[in-house]
Amino acid sequence: MRIEIATLFPEMCEAVLSTSIIGRARAKGAIEVNCHQIRDYTTDRHRRVDDTPFGGGMGMVMQAQPIYDCWKAVCAPYAEPPHTIYLSPKGKTMTQEKVRELARKPALFLLCGHYEGVDQRVLDRIVDEEISIGDYVLTGGELPALVLTDAVARMCENVLPSVECYEEESHYNGLLEYPQYTRPENWEGEAVPAVLLSGHHQKIREWRQAQSQALTQELRPDLWAKWLKCTNEDADL
Ligand code: SAM
């Protein structure tokens, strides 16, 4: 997986991407992530990348030219341009299903907007899809691009120790994860559920599945209804 991030703040992205699991995955070559400074591609002699919106209104809009030239330069070595995503509060909300789909692509190009957003003409020219990380507005697309990169990277081979690391987690199979416990067995009078100490793998699996179902039903009735529907459809096949 190669991920190309176009941003006005590459140092902000690098700081996160050089740390922890993603930093180690990059260092050992399991994934490649490159951050590109959009400003390096402006033809403006004052290095401007934004201007006031036509029609009036608050704030500034990122111009088409530097973004398009950045995208073309980054795509040049590719036989096919990477799947291009604009991180935007107007996009489809990101889900684990979408992350799984993106993790199967060979390469992604992530465009981070700023200010009031990006000139629509360059979006129409280069973007395959717009993705939002939730129904709220942030100051820039860097945090959403980092969220997407983290979620996709951890599903790529050799990033986590094994596929079980993500297959058993919340959302992967449509349910929330069961509660987790670690040492000590008794903490301030609170004991770990006895079944987890039993060594009986089948019983532990059943307990975890029951906990997952109960938690999902209680905390996310929307996911629960979807899971029930899919499970019943599978049973009918
Ligand atoms: N004027 C835009 C609107 O109302 O839809 C919001 C622009 S926002 C202040 C600046 C940039 O942050 C956007 O261009 C986008 O790249 C990013 N952004 C903000 N919120 C986001 C979200 N929820 N998901 C993804 N990207 C977001």
Side-chain angles (χ1 to χ4, degrees), residues 17 22 29 36 47-48 76 107 119 121 123 142 145-146 152 160 176 195 226 232:
L17 295 167
I22 305 301
H36 307 276
R47 284 179 51 85
R48 276 185 69 169
D119 189 308
R121 292 167 295 182
L123 299 179
E142 285 71 21
L146 292 169
V152 166
L160 297 181
L176 303 181
V195 64
K226 205 167 149 193
N232 289 338

Side-chain angles (χ1 to χ4, degrees), residues 62-79:
M62 288 176 73
Q63 292 172 300
Q65 176 274 316
I67 292 173
Y68 189 49
D69 286 357
C70 173
W71 182 80
K72 279 194 298 186
V74 171
C75 292
Y78 286 90

Side-chain angles (χ1 to χ4, degrees), residues 34-234:
N34 305 306
C35 301
H36 307 276
Q37 171 56 270
I38 295 170
R39 203 176 290 282
D40 289 346
Y41 295 87
T42 181
T43 52
D44 182 87
R45 61 194 178 95
H46 303 295
R47 284 179 51 85
R48 276 185 69 169
V49 290
D50 58 345
D51 212 326
T52 52
F54 280 126
M58 291 290 292
M60 304 295 275
V61 176
M62 288 176 73
Q63 292 172 300
Q65 176 274 316
I67 292 173
Y68 189 49
D69 286 357
C70 173
W71 182 80
K72 279 194 298 186
V74 171
C75 292
Y78 286 90
E80 289 268 314
H83 185 72
T84 297
I85 297 168
Y86 171 46
L87 284 308
S88 159
K90 290 188 271 187
K92 275 229 178 92
T93 311
M94 192 165 99
T95 60
Q96 191 65 41
E97 215 177 327
K98 173 54 77 177
V99 169
R100 208 185 307 186
E101 178 194 318
L102 294 177
R104 287 196 289 262
K105 304 228 181 257
L108 302 174
F109 181 100
L110 308 183
L111 171 62
C112 306
H114 244 275
Y115 319 119
E116 283 311 306
V118 173
D119 189 308
Q120 187 61 40
R121 292 167 295 182
V122 71
L123 299 179
D124 293 343
R125 182 78 62 92
I126 68 171
V127 169
D128 295 304
E129 65 178 325
E130 297 194 10
I131 294 183
S132 163
I133 62 158
D135 289 343
Y136 42 80
V137 177
L138 301 164
T139 55
E142 285 71 21
L143 292 173
L146 292 169
V147 167
L148 192 152
T149 301
D150 188 290
V152 166
R154 65 196 294 288
M155 297 195 77
C156 296
E157 224 174 303
N158 297 327
V159 172
L160 297 181
S162 75
V163 290
E164 284 90 55
C165 294
Y166 60 76
E167 277 185 0
E168 289 204 0
E169 278 181 316
S170 299
H171 299 292
Y172 188 85
N173 59 5
L175 293 174
L176 303 181
E177 194 189 54
Y178 46 81
Q180 299 271 18
Y181 300 88
T182 186
R183 288 191 181 83
E185 285 178 32
N186 193 306
W187 175 75
E188 300 205 342
E190 306 269 358
V192 167
V195 64
L196 299 178
L197 308 175
S198 68
H200 194 302
H201 298 302
Q202 178 61 23
K203 284 208 172 117
I204 293 174
R205 258 195 303 277
E206 284 165 12
W207 180 84
R208 286 178 164 168
Q209 179 66 18
Q211 290 285 319
S212 268
Q213 292 181 208
L215 269 180
T216 311
Q217 188 170 12
E218 182 191 336
L219 301 177
R220 292 291 302 272
D222 55 326
L223 293 181
W224 176 244
K226 205 167 149 193
W227 184 81
L228 275 183
K229 189 167 174 273
C230 293
T231 312
N232 289 338
E233 276 169 10
D234 284 351

